[in-house]
Amino acid sequence: MKKLILTALLSVGVIATQAEARSWDKGHPKHKDYARVVHVEPIYHRIERTIPRETCWNERVQVQRPHRYRNDSYTDEILGGIIGGAIGNAVGHNKSNKKVQAAIGAALGASIAHDMNRPRHRDYGVSYRDEQRCAVEHDVEYHEEVSGYNVTYRYHGREYQTRTRRHPGKRIRVQVDVRPVH
């Protein structure tokens, strides 16, 4: 029985040694631990941002006013001439005088009708007003943003450095690689 127990123990020892040897062949055994953080320095990168800004001002502009109703035909002048001619004919005393008075009345009536259709001001149809004009301009702003951290940590009396995306706090998790010394 003692022989059987001794053989079993030796077999377990050989198997364990072979398993450990295989783990050394595939790579070195590793385990996780924590190290004390001694210094953290943020890493900044510059960000450029374009911001639209609207700028407005008042500008004096020329405006065409709508014209009052204007008849492009000569009806008003013709009507004025007929009325003026009738009045001239009625005022004249004899036959030749009536013809002259009618002609003068017709010309005067047509002229008055024409003048009534003409604009009263020299700048008729044109005016000025202030209008607001706006334009978009772009301002560029720069600001710095933390993109990561340079971390110095101490593990078993030695200092190491790494870069992390987040602030590690007071301690950082490390992977320990154990190797035999030959």
Side-chain angles (χ1 to χ4, degrees):
M1 181 79 153
K2 286 184 185 180
K3 215 176 187 184
L4 186 62
I5 292 176
L6 186 60
T7 307
L9 285 174
L10 283 174
S11 297
V12 169
V14 169
I15 293 171
T17 305
Q18 287 176 350
E20 187 175 324
R22 275 196 300 268
S23 73
W24 288 105
D25 291 340
K26 292 181 182 175
H28 304 288
K30 299 174 183 174
H31 69 279
K32 298 196 182 338
D33 200 359
Y34 286 92
R36 186 171 63 88
V37 173
V38 293
H39 181 72
V40 177
E41 185 177 328
I43 302 167
Y44 294 99
H45 71 276
R46 190 176 189 182
I47 295 177
E48 178 181 306
R49 184 171 42 183
T50 304
I51 300 171
R53 176 178 45 92
E54 185 177 50
T55 304
C56 297
W57 65 93
N58 287 328
E59 189 173 292
R60 193 154 182 84
V61 295
Q62 183 178 348
V63 179
Q64 289 292 108
R65 286 187 294 172
H67 293 287
R68 65 184 174 115
Y69 172 74
R70 182 165 179 219
N71 191 351
D72 287 337
S73 72
Y74 292 102
T75 305
D76 292 340
E77 287 83 353
I78 292 170
L79 188 59
I82 292 171
I83 293 171
I87 292 172
N89 188 38
V91 176
H93 295 299
N94 60 26
K95 196 174 181 180
S96 67
N97 194 7
K98 285 187 179 210
K99 288 179 185 176
V100 171
Q101 292 289 12
I104 291 172
L108 191 56
S111 177
I112 291 170
H114 178 75
D115 288 344
M116 289 181 72
N117 272 342
R118 212 170 44 167
R120 306 235 188 277
H121 311 283
R122 284 200 144 159
D123 64 338
Y124 179 78
V126 176
S127 65
Y128 295 90
R129 72 170 178 228
D130 289 336
E131 281 189 9
Q132 187 177 39
R133 303 277 190 213
C134 296
V136 176
E137 297 175 4
H138 291 85
D139 295 332
V140 178
E141 281 186 0
Y142 298 96
H143 70 281
E144 291 185 343
E145 192 173 273
V146 176
S147 62
Y149 297 89
N150 285 325
V151 179
T152 304
Y153 60 95
R154 183 169 291 153
Y155 185 75
H156 289 294
R158 292 183 65 193
E159 285 191 0
Y160 302 91
Q161 290 186 339
T162 189
R163 183 174 284 186
T164 62
R165 289 185 181 184
R166 294 186 193 101
H167 193 287
K170 294 181 181 181
R171 63 186 192 150
I172 188 169
R173 192 158 182 182
V174 294
Q175 184 167 311
V176 181
D177 185 6
V178 180
R179 295 182 185 181
V181 178
H182 296 282

